[in-house]
């Protein structure tokens, strides 16, 4: 049983910042792309940001590009998401995920390809 341990989240005012972190087992972390999905009330679950652990290549949802930054601390099996310039549309439950690697690419076609999910942490911007 693989557990992804999330921290951070909470409430922020519009224009504010929050940081999320996720710790995975070492073997999961090294063999997976790590990142974050989110699901807002009444909306579909969507990928937010993904990083290819080790190599460091990143992908961002257009809605957050330029405002959010995903990063890795490889030795600590940790992935972080720094969220700046928050707005009300960022309000959602955020889930840490581990997704397949295939060669030098991340396989994140949608939620159905995610290998492991964190429990989710609420982010509220109001």
């Amino acid at each position: 049983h693989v557990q992804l341990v999330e921290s951070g989240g909470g409430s922020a005012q519009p224009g504010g910042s929050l940081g999320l972190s996720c710790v995975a087992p070492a073997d999961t972390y090294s063999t997976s792309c790590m990142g974050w999905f989110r699901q807002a009330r009444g909306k579909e679950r969507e990928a937010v940001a993904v990083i290819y652990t080790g190599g460091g290549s990143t992908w961002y949802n257009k809605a957050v590009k330029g405002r959010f930054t995903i990063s890795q601390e490889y030795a600590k099996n940790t992935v972080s998401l720094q969220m700046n310039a928050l707005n009300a549309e960022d309000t959602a439950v955020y889930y840490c995920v581990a997704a397949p690697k295939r060669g030098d690419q991340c396989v994140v076609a949608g939620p159905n390809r995610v290998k492991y999910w964190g429990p989710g942490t609420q982010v509220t911007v109001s």
Side-chain angles (χ1 to χ4, degrees), residues 2-118:
V2 173
Q3 294 187 13
L4 306 180
V5 181
E6 302 166 347
S7 62
S11 299
Q13 295 181 346
S17 298
L18 288 171
L20 305 177
S21 293
C22 177
V23 180
D27 55 352
T28 297
Y29 187 89
S30 64
T31 60
S32 302
C33 292
M34 300 294 301
W36 299 87
F37 276 64
R38 69 183 182 186
Q39 188 164 24
R41 185 178 61 186
K43 302 293 183 63
E44 295 182 359
R45 191 169 297 189
E46 64 179 2
V48 178
V50 178
I51 189 165
Y52 189 102
T53 57
S57 297
T58 59
W59 174 91
Y60 294 94
N61 187 309
K62 183 178 178 180
V64 308
K65 194 170 186 178
R67 300 188 296 118
F68 292 9
T69 302
I70 190 167
S71 61
Q72 63 179 334
E73 296 179 76
Y74 194 89
K76 297 181 179 180
N77 308 316
T78 299
V79 61
S80 298
L81 185 69
Q82 180 63 42
M83 303 182 291
N84 297 327
L86 288 164
N87 58 60
E89 295 179 352
D90 297 315
T91 296
V93 177
Y94 285 70
Y95 299 89
C96 180
V97 301
K101 290 178 176 176
R102 192 170 187 87
D104 61 353
Q105 300 290 316
C106 297
V107 181
V108 194
N112 60 318
R113 297 303 306 274
V114 171
K115 294 192 295 183
Y116 304 110
W117 295 87

